[in-house]
Amino acid sequence: MKELNQNIVQGILPKRKNESYKGNYGHVLLIGGNQELGGAIILAASAAVYSGAGLVTVATHPSNHTALHARLPEAMVIDGYDTAKVIHHMKKATTVVIGPGLGLDDQSQLILKAVLAACTPQQRLVIDGDAITLMASENLKTPVAQTVYTPHLGEWQRLSHLTIEEQTKDLNAHFRKQLGAEVVLKKHHSEIYFEEEVWKNEAGTPAMATGGMGDTLTGMLAGFLAQFPNRKTAILAAVYLHSRISDDLAKTHYVTLPSQIIQRIPCVMKDYATKFDF
Ligand SMILES: NC(=O)C1=CN([C@@H]2O[C@H](COP(=O)(O)OP(=O)(O)OC[C@H]3O[C@@H](n4cnc5c(N)ncnc54)[C@H](OP(=O)(O)O)[C@@H]3O)[C@@H](O)[C@H]2O)[C@@H](O)CC1
Ligand SMILES: Nc1ncnc2c1ncn2[C@@H]1O[C@H](COP(=O)(O)OP(=O)(O)O)[C@@H](O)[C@H]1O
Ligand SMILES: [Mg+2]
């Protein structure tokens, strides 16, 4: 496996062009957050905004709208249970996220199927959390979008039918090929499966083992995928910098919270951006 470390990511993020505006940095649509799990989509949306996505829209249960507006006024909000409206907004999105806090009921499955059917080959799609579990439960196929799955080991077991003990590099790579998508397998030293190579994240700490940490990575991935043309660069940088922020915080914090990570995304991006004009 290739080692994903500071040397790989230093200088990897492009400098922003002076003559640019929000329309150059992608429009992320995040779909998730039922009545009980609104925090997951708020964290993911916050991470996308703080990563620099040009525009962010959140499709979520109406009971989350006030909290979202209050915590994240940069984001637009629509009813995630109005399938026609969600599909209409998908047409404007360059990057779509589905899954954080989506829930596992019939309504969630309906929305997921509609989104998978509506996405286009030009769109980038991050499938996380409950969307992975729902896809596994009905053996749904990867859609035509440029898709990244972000399972933890339990979600990967559901999707791949490999027990955690069976999840070796070769078997994981074999199943990735069947999926036809990139896979970020989340754990201590997460592994990233691309078509041609596998990377192992050298950053990360057990101080990250707290609810919402994966939702935060999903939002970062979406923000990076929305802005950076090179998919591999976007994925490697998001995975590494998410953990890197925690490593830095963990020098003085026993546990690092998703909200703390989110606040520091713009700073770490500045540290790791190239200093040169293209
Ligand atoms: N604030 C919010 O709103 C939050 C909302 N959230 C949302 O909740 C939804 C459900 O997501 P989830 O990950 O919490 O539950 P689920 O899919 O059932 O997976 C757990 C199962 O997998 C197993 N497992 C094995 N290895 C594992 C590993 N390395 N890491 C983790 N699990 C591992 C584990 O095994 P066990 O612990 O039982 O041994 C258990 O059987 C999802 O939409 C998410 O976005 C959360 O983000 C929290 C904050
Ligand atoms: N011991 C650990 N070492 C490094 N990273 C960890 C550790 N525990 C959890 N993480 C990271 O935290 C995140 C957890 O993701 P996930 O289980 O999907 O969280 P949630 O769904 O609660 O947001 C992943 O990015 C994972 O790599
Ligand atoms: Mg998760």
Side-chain angles (χ1 to χ4, degrees):
M1 282 189 211
K2 295 187 164 196
E3 288 183 6
L4 177 57
N5 55 34
Q6 179 158 4
N7 298 334
I8 302 294
V9 182
Q10 189 64 59
I12 205 177
L13 301 182
K15 196 176 164 193
R16 284 194 163 189
K17 292 195 168 62
N18 288 341
E19 300 297 327
S20 64
Y21 77 114
K22 63 189 173 189
N24 299 118
Y25 300 115
H27 189 161
V28 178
L29 173 66
L30 300 104
I31 304 153
N34 64 13
Q35 250 175 309
E36 285 95 40
L37 304 173
I41 205 71
I42 293 176
L43 289 168
S46 303
V49 166
Y50 279 72
S51 298
L55 287 168
V56 171
T57 300
V58 185
T60 190
H61 190 277
S63 62
N64 300 319
H65 289 196
T66 305
L68 221 147
H69 277 310
R71 273 193 75 107
L72 192 68
E74 294 84 356
M76 297 165 275
V77 186
I78 61 168
D79 180 357
Y81 285 69
D82 182 340
T83 309
K85 190 167 246 182
V86 174
I87 298 309
H88 173 72
H89 275 78
M90 273 192 70
K91 296 192 178 90
K92 299 188 233 168
T94 59
T95 302
V96 177
V97 167
I98 185 152
L102 182 67
L104 299 172
D105 60 17
D106 292 349
Q107 186 75 15
S108 314
Q109 187 67 285
L110 277 177
I111 296 162
L112 172 64
K113 285 182 179 168
V115 166
L116 295 179
C119 60
T120 67
Q122 290 73 39
Q123 283 173 322
R124 294 175 170 189
L125 174 67
V126 184
I127 303 182
D128 182 39
D130 290 334
I132 297 176
T133 302
L134 287 170
M135 290 190 75
S137 71
E138 290 196 32
N139 199 19
L140 302 179
K141 298 283 166 259
T142 302
V144 295
Q146 301 163 33
T147 304
V148 187
Y149 290 89
T150 57
H152 59 53
L153 297 179
E155 288 159 344
W156 186 238
Q157 176 166 349
R158 291 175 198 142
L159 194 63
S160 67
H161 304 292
L162 296 168
T163 63
I164 292 176
E165 294 69 38
E166 290 168 341
Q167 292 173 11
T168 59
K169 179 189 163 205
D170 286 347
L171 287 176
N172 290 338
H174 181 75
F175 188 68
R176 186 223 67 81
K177 199 171 175 188
Q178 285 183 23
L179 281 176
E182 278 116 17
V183 174
V184 177
L185 181 57
K186 296 180 300 191
K187 55 189 188 133
H188 185 62
H189 294 161
S190 296
E191 294 167 5
I192 309 161
Y193 289 80
F194 293 102
E195 188 173 350
E196 62 288 2
E197 62 203 21
V198 184
W199 291 76
K200 182 179 189 172
N201 184 17
E202 299 290 309
T205 154
M208 299 171 79
T210 180
M213 193 56 78
D215 305 320
T216 301
L217 174 63
T218 292
M220 265 185 96
L221 269 169
F224 281 38
L225 285 166
Q227 287 171 85
F228 305 131
N230 185 306
R231 273 210 335 263
K232 189 179 288 181
T233 297
I235 295 168
L236 292 178
V239 170
Y240 178 76
L241 294 180
H242 172 250
S243 295
R244 178 65 207 223
I245 296 170
S246 178
D247 281 348
D248 290 343
L249 281 169
K251 289 175 188 155
T252 52
H253 294 66
Y254 186 80
V255 59
T256 63
L257 302 187
S259 310
Q260 292 173 306
I261 305 265
I262 289 163
Q263 292 288 333
R264 293 176 77 120
I265 296 171
C267 306
V268 84
M269 288 178 76
K270 185 76 179 172
D271 283 348
Y272 280 81
T274 180
K275 309 276 184 280
F276 305 107
D277 285 320
F278 283 101

